[in-house]
Amino acid sequence: MKRKGKAPLDSKALVAAVPAGQTTRELQKGDTVFAQGDPADAVFFVQRGKLKLTVLSTQGKQAVTALLGPGDFFGEGCLAGQPMRMATAAAMTEGSIVRLPKRSMIRALHRDAHFAEMFTTYLLSRNIRMEEDLVDQLFNSSEKRLARILLLLANFGKEGRPEPVVPKISQETLAEMVGTTRSRISFFMNKFRKLGFLDYNGRLEVHSSLLHVVLHD
């Protein structure tokens, strides 16, 4: 579960590296940053809160492709010539993001070798995470996938202290993330609670013991 090589970049370092044209936006839960099909003209950096990326198929099926938290970039596909957004980015909690215009990001990456190294490290760590997600989807059970997602939402395995209280999230959304039905999510959540892996007390609290589900064969 440990997240490897995450770039130690904070808002102050970002301001210094990309001073031109950046803007900060406060988000409320449910706010959309961009929608699938919108023009791709900027990169975003998460200062506070949690966001999700979702894709919608032509058949109307929706899937969650990424969960984002403080220190994460998203929308970087525009730097590689992506003309339109391939996913929708929406806030799962209150928070704030920094918008970095594409041209400013490209100039900063060419001008600042240290920033370019940190950004490249971040992209490589994101690629590792995507490979882990793919393996998880291909080989692990729905129960293990749900446990892993809950642990990720609570920041277990990331740098810094865990946040055991998971943002309010519906079972429908969890089902989209796991790739199963809402009824199966309800079954597993009740099972985890009975085993003492999590608590519902007006909020969802995840315990580190939930790692047993992920690590157990």
Side-chain angles (χ1 to χ4, degrees), residues 161-183:
R161 299 187 61 174
E163 302 168 0
V165 177
V166 171
K168 189 174 182 180
I169 185 169
S170 70
Q171 291 190 353
E172 287 82 0
T173 299
L174 286 172
E176 291 172 0
M177 294 178 179
V178 174
T180 189
T181 63
R182 182 189 176 284
S183 62

Side-chain angles (χ1 to χ4, degrees), residues 117-135:
E117 181 180 359
M118 287 195 298
F119 188 68
T120 300
T121 299
Y122 172 80
L123 293 181
L124 290 172
S125 70
R126 168 76 70 82
N127 187 60
I128 291 171
R129 165 71 181 281
M130 290 175 66
E131 290 179 353
E132 291 173 346
D133 288 346
L134 179 59
V135 170

Side-chain angles (χ1 to χ4, degrees), residues 36-56:
Q36 187 172 331
D38 284 351
D41 57 0
V43 178
F44 295 86
F45 178 80
V46 183
Q47 288 182 312
R48 295 186 297 107
K50 293 185 183 294
L51 297 91
K52 64 178 179 179
L53 298 181
T54 60
V55 294
L56 186 68

Side-chain angles (χ1 to χ4, degrees), residues 12 14 26 62 93 106 129 133 150 163 178 191 213:
K12 291 182 179 179
L14 194 64
E26 296 295 317
Q62 182 171 279
T93 66
I106 291 174
R129 165 71 181 281
D133 288 346
L150 291 172
E163 302 168 0
V178 174
K191 178 181 177 181
V213 177

Side-chain angles (χ1 to χ4, degrees), residues 12 16 47 58 64 74 80 104 117 140 151 161 192 213 216:
K12 291 182 179 179
Q47 288 182 312
T58 54
V64 177
F74 63 102
S104 297
E117 181 180 359
N140 287 334
L151 288 164
R161 299 187 61 174
F192 294 164
V213 177
H216 181 69

Side-chain angles (χ1 to χ4, degrees), residues 58-178:
T58 54
Q59 291 78 30
K61 294 185 65 176
Q62 182 171 279
V64 177
T65 59
L67 303 175
L68 307 167
D72 283 335
F73 287 93
F74 63 102
E76 67 274 6
C78 67
L79 301 178
Q82 185 183 86
M84 296 185 301
R85 300 297 185 188
M86 303 301 292
T88 295
M92 298 174 65
T93 66
E94 292 183 357
S96 63
I97 56 172
V98 180
R99 182 183 185 276
L100 307 161
K102 175 182 174 180
R103 289 184 179 181
S104 297
M105 274 292 291
I106 291 174
R107 283 198 297 267
L109 290 170
H110 282 102
R111 182 183 64 245
D112 189 331
H114 181 59
F115 174 66
E117 181 180 359
M118 287 195 298
F119 188 68
T120 300
T121 299
Y122 172 80
L123 293 181
L124 290 172
S125 70
R126 168 76 70 82
N127 187 60
I128 291 171
R129 165 71 181 281
M130 290 175 66
E131 290 179 353
E132 291 173 346
D133 288 346
L134 179 59
V135 170
D136 188 44
Q137 189 74 25
L138 290 174
F139 297 111
N140 287 334
S141 66
S142 298
E143 184 176 10
K144 279 191 177 184
R145 294 202 301 273
L146 174 60
R148 181 171 180 265
I149 285 169
L150 291 172
L151 288 164
L152 288 171
L153 284 169
N155 279 348
F156 283 101
K158 293 187 180 181
E159 295 178 4
R161 299 187 61 174
E163 302 168 0
V165 177
V166 171
K168 189 174 182 180
I169 185 169
S170 70
Q171 291 190 353
E172 287 82 0
T173 299
L174 286 172
E176 291 172 0
M177 294 178 179
V178 174

